[in-house]
Amino acid sequence: MRTIMRVKFLFRLKSPIVALITFGLFTACASGQTDRSNSVVIPSPREVIASDVTVDNGQFISKTGKFQVSIAEIPSQTLDLGSETARAKGIDVGKQYVWRFENTLYTIYYTPPVDREGNTLPNVFEDMVSGSRKGVLRSNGKIISEKPYMFQGFNGVELRYTSAEGLNFVSRLFISGDFGYQVVGAYLGDKEMEVLDILNSFATR
């Protein structure tokens, strides 16, 4: 039985605004990630140094995540969501990259077709959407809209929601090949177009 994973993490933040965005993102969004293992013990996320990543011509490129996006910086934080067993075997079960700016924040979460122990387990799109939706509601967020989203020929879903603190989120979920992706932008004020420009630049490789 799949369960909802709740992630709580402390950050070294640059400003109170970024602190609010980060808190809202990781209680409303990251809590919506489904636990993709059969174990009732959910591994704690571990902060790691981003590896197999580069920044080239204004593009952040993740080789293991098989994607690129128009953010010309190494992530502020990288979380490894695998178990100790998977880590010991050197199996990549997925990572979550985080970029923090003054009034915006972005996170990209990718999941290969394995569970958190490193065992083969295909991504199920319906589980991804249901888990994200429940994560928003459990964090007292309000879903503004949910609509189909087409990405490179693959069907996806775009969720827009606000947190209890009034932060704005755009979350896009889809499967490309056999990898699952959740690409999220959070913002305050009039930064919607800036966030959408970044989300629209996302491409798999």
Side-chain angles (χ1 to χ4, degrees):
M1 179 179 181
R2 296 172 188 265
T3 58
I4 301 300
M5 180 182 72
R6 293 192 173 276
V7 178
K8 292 185 179 180
F9 214 84
L10 296 178
F11 299 91
R12 295 175 293 277
L13 302 172
K14 298 179 181 178
S15 72
I17 291 179
V18 177
L20 281 174
I21 295 177
T22 303
F23 176 78
L25 182 64
F26 276 87
T27 56
C29 172
S31 64
Q33 303 293 350
T34 54
D35 173 30
R36 304 181 61 249
S37 71
N38 293 320
S39 171
V40 296
V41 179
I42 302 174
S44 298
R46 181 180 66 170
E47 185 173 4
V48 298
I49 297 175
S51 60
D52 293 323
V53 300
T54 58
V55 174
D56 186 24
N57 292 323
Q59 296 287 309
F60 170 80
I61 300 170
S62 169
K63 295 179 181 178
T64 53
K66 300 182 180 181
F67 73 86
Q68 65 184 53
V69 66
S70 294
I71 301 177
E73 294 187 14
I74 295 296
S76 310
Q77 192 165 39
T78 301
L79 298 179
D80 182 338
L81 304 177
S83 68
E84 290 299 330
T85 299
R87 294 167 188 166
K89 293 179 180 178
I91 299 175
D92 181 21
V93 307
K95 291 183 175 64
Q96 191 167 33
Y97 300 110
V98 182
W99 292 265
R100 298 188 297 269
F101 300 103
E102 188 65 25
N103 292 302
T104 60
L105 184 145
Y106 304 93
T107 179
I108 298 176
Y109 176 51
Y110 73 87
T111 56
V114 296
D115 65 17
R116 300 193 189 284
E117 299 295 323
N119 303 309
T120 300
L121 180 67
N123 284 290
V124 179
F125 181 66
E126 290 77 11
D127 289 352
M128 293 168 57
V129 176
S130 175
S132 293
R133 189 187 300 119
K134 290 177 181 177
V136 173
L137 298 177
R138 289 186 178 188
S139 300
N140 297 317
K142 180 181 179 181
I143 296 176
I144 304 301
S145 66
E146 177 178 336
K147 62 182 181 180
Y149 171 71
M150 183 69 71
F151 174 80
Q152 295 181 353
F154 298 99
N155 292 321
V157 163
E158 179 184 273
L159 290 173
R160 295 197 180 209
Y161 55 94
T162 58
S163 69
E165 298 78 21
L167 306 177
N168 304 296
F169 294 85
V170 181
S171 174
R172 292 174 176 176
L173 302 107
F174 46 87
I175 293 178
S176 178
D178 55 4
F179 272 45
Y181 294 94
Q182 183 182 45
V183 183
V184 180
Y187 64 96
L188 291 173
D190 59 355
K191 298 294 184 178
E192 178 181 2
M193 294 308 300
E194 179 180 325
V195 165
L196 292 178
D197 284 343
I198 296 296
L199 298 189
N200 291 337
S201 73
F202 180 90
T204 53
R205 297 168 58 86

